[in-house]
Amino acid sequence: MVEAEHAASVSAQEACGHHSQSVYGQFYAGISERFAAFGELPGAVLVRPGRAPYHVVVVNGVALYPWRHSRNPEGDLGSSRFGTSDARLAVANLRPRPVQGMLDFGLPDPELSEEEQQFVEIAQSVLSDPAIGRLVVVAICSSVQGLHSVEWGEVSLQPDEHLQWIGFHESLLRATSE
């Protein structure tokens, strides 16, 4: 899927003839649509993180999130900040919904700012799906010049809003080229 979307995005960029790479920049919209096809798997559901214009597939409690973290061939997952939007923060903090919880009357908390209240609403909408528990990222480093790396594995969000691999992760490019 990643290789096919990269090829389609490069073709679209070349066809437009623009010097800017804004056409290739739509790569993320395309890869999100391709990953949504996993929603047809048994045990899979599609979840919209907050007000994001895309869905994240969750298979048997594991969210699968494609992320183009860099266009620089030297870029790595650890050097790119993940928490740059409310939707990504919501994706990174997906947790199973507790069986028993506090009563929620839908009233705003007077001690929260409007921005904090919006974040709470986004988080609550994501957490309304009890099937979510862990996050696996397909980390993509690509540009018009090439598909530089594609790695996947379970991640956690660090306090500095960068992701860190948890245990096993591997390069998908190496796996497909052998």
Side-chain angles (χ1 to χ4, degrees):
M1 286 182 167
V2 175
E3 289 174 334
E5 185 57 36
H6 170 71
S9 295
V10 168
S11 293
Q13 179 67 49
E14 290 171 351
C16 80
H18 296 169
H19 290 287
S20 77
Q21 294 183 6
S22 59
V23 173
Y24 184 84
Q26 294 300 309
F27 172 88
Y28 186 76
I31 198 67
S32 293
E33 289 177 15
R34 289 181 189 256
F35 268 58
F38 287 126
E40 297 175 16
L41 293 172
V45 294
L46 292 174
V47 176
R48 182 182 304 271
R51 296 183 182 111
Y54 55 84
H55 287 87
V56 174
V57 68
V58 179
V59 182
N60 296 325
V62 179
L64 179 62
Y65 189 79
W67 180 41
R68 182 173 171 246
H69 64 88
S70 179
R71 62 182 178 197
N72 180 347
E74 305 302 317
D76 70 284
L77 180 87
S79 64
S80 301
R81 197 168 137 241
F82 185 81
T84 58
S85 72
D86 288 344
R88 274 204 220 137
L89 287 172
V91 167
N93 291 304
L94 296 175
R95 295 292 176 265
R97 195 172 95 192
V99 176
Q100 295 179 344
M102 298 181 348
L103 291 177
D104 181 6
F105 295 106
L107 300 174
D109 185 335
E111 294 184 23
L112 295 179
S113 70
E114 185 176 321
E115 182 178 333
E116 291 168 331
Q117 186 63 39
Q118 278 184 334
F119 180 77
V120 168
E121 289 170 12
I122 289 169
Q124 286 174 342
S125 71
V126 170
L127 295 175
S128 66
D129 188 330
I132 301 169
R134 297 172 23 204
L135 175 60
V136 169
V137 165
V138 176
I140 303 161
C141 177
S142 68
S143 69
V144 173
Q145 285 75 36
L147 188 55
H148 310 300
S149 71
V150 180
E151 298 178 77
W152 79 291
E154 187 174 354
V155 296
S156 67
L157 183 66
Q158 301 302 298
D160 64 359
E161 297 182 345
H162 288 74
L163 294 179
Q164 181 176 12
W165 298 114
I166 300 175
F168 171 83
H169 80 277
E170 72 176 340
S171 169
L172 293 175
L173 289 181
R174 220 180 8 249
T176 60
S177 64
E178 292 177 354

